[in-house]
Amino acid sequence: MFEISFFQAFIFITILWIITRSFFWIKNKKSKEKLSAKKMIAREFKLLLVYLCIIVIARIVYFPLHHINGHIGTLKFNRVKIIPLRVNLIPFIHLYDIYAGRYMNIIGNICMFIPVGIVWPVCFKELNKLWKILLAGFGFSLFIEISQLFFYERCTDVDDLLMNTFGVFIGILLYYIFRPSPKQESNN
């Protein structure tokens, strides 16, 4: 068995982020479509919002929300304890379980992914259609649910996948309601 602290996960995600962004920075510098250094730096600051979404979601999803002895609990891996897998593939079976505190879980799963529906289309011009943003958010949530299979204290739940995707959808609606019109964007 080994345990992963939130600090270790934070460092791991940060190193992956720096490597990925460095790769794209070098790739963009060599491409024909050269952006000014000022525009590239402005883009990187915008992309920090994506990084923050990943860090916050990782904190909420993988680590206990309550503190243990004043510290964030750890993520535990034990290959012996992961079998049987903790998976719920029946949609909506636990959504109305008041006694298990599921209402807070439902609201949390939705709210946690609203920023994804807002931030990702701002940062990635390829996500220019509702279905593309929704599919990207669904894929991100699916990755999280599958990755939880390896940690015996976590549960993979189709309801989480549905609620997370619904949160992305709400974020997309907010993005489309409040985004600047194409005329305003071209003036900037």
Side-chain angles (χ1 to χ4, degrees):
M1 180 174 106
F2 68 88
E3 297 182 21
I4 302 168
S5 71
F6 176 66
F7 181 72
Q8 290 168 324
F10 173 78
I11 295 298
F12 178 73
I13 293 168
T14 302
I15 289 170
L16 280 178
W17 182 263
I18 291 169
I19 290 169
T20 304
R21 292 312 313 147
S22 297
F23 171 77
F24 282 107
W25 182 279
I26 292 167
K27 182 182 170 198
N28 287 338
K29 272 226 176 260
K30 291 180 180 178
S31 73
K32 294 177 185 175
E33 185 183 311
K34 290 197 175 195
L35 297 173
S36 70
K38 187 177 179 181
K39 283 187 178 182
M40 286 180 76
I41 290 170
R43 174 156 171 71
E44 289 304 317
F45 274 111
K46 216 190 288 187
L47 285 170
L48 280 176
L49 293 172
V50 174
Y51 168 76
L52 289 174
C53 281
I54 293 169
I55 292 293
V56 169
I57 290 172
R59 164 59 179 101
I60 294 169
V61 168
Y62 294 111
F63 298 92
L65 292 178
H66 60 281
H67 286 203
I68 300 166
N69 296 328
H71 300 288
I72 297 171
T74 58
L75 186 60
K76 296 176 178 96
F77 173 81
N78 185 334
R79 65 182 175 86
V80 176
K81 288 187 176 182
I82 62 172
I83 304 294
L85 298 174
R86 295 182 62 201
V87 179
N88 172 34
L89 297 176
I90 303 169
F92 310 116
I93 196 164
H94 296 292
L95 284 183
Y96 301 106
D97 188 0
I98 298 171
Y99 302 108
R102 294 291 292 184
Y103 284 122
M104 194 60 182
N105 189 26
I106 293 167
I107 293 167
N109 276 306
I110 293 171
C111 292
M112 174 173 53
F113 273 76
I114 289 173
V116 172
I118 297 169
V119 170
W120 286 19
V122 168
C123 294
F124 303 112
K125 63 183 173 186
E126 300 83 14
L127 298 177
N128 56 2
K129 303 245 186 288
L130 184 135
W131 69 269
K132 289 181 180 181
I133 306 165
L134 203 57
L135 187 61
F138 174 84
F140 181 45
S141 179
L142 182 62
F143 168 78
I144 289 169
E145 293 304 316
I146 290 172
S147 69
Q148 289 184 82
L149 290 172
F150 300 103
F151 304 100
Y152 69 90
E153 291 183 334
R154 309 307 308 157
C155 181
T156 298
D157 193 336
V158 70
D159 292 339
D160 291 350
L161 182 62
L162 294 171
M163 294 302 105
N164 294 347
T165 305
F166 185 64
V168 172
F169 180 72
I170 292 171
I172 295 167
L173 293 179
L174 293 171
Y175 167 74
Y176 280 119
I177 290 170
F178 294 108
R179 76 177 176 170
S181 69
K183 287 182 181 180
Q184 289 175 331
E185 286 179 355
S186 64
N187 289 337
N188 292 335

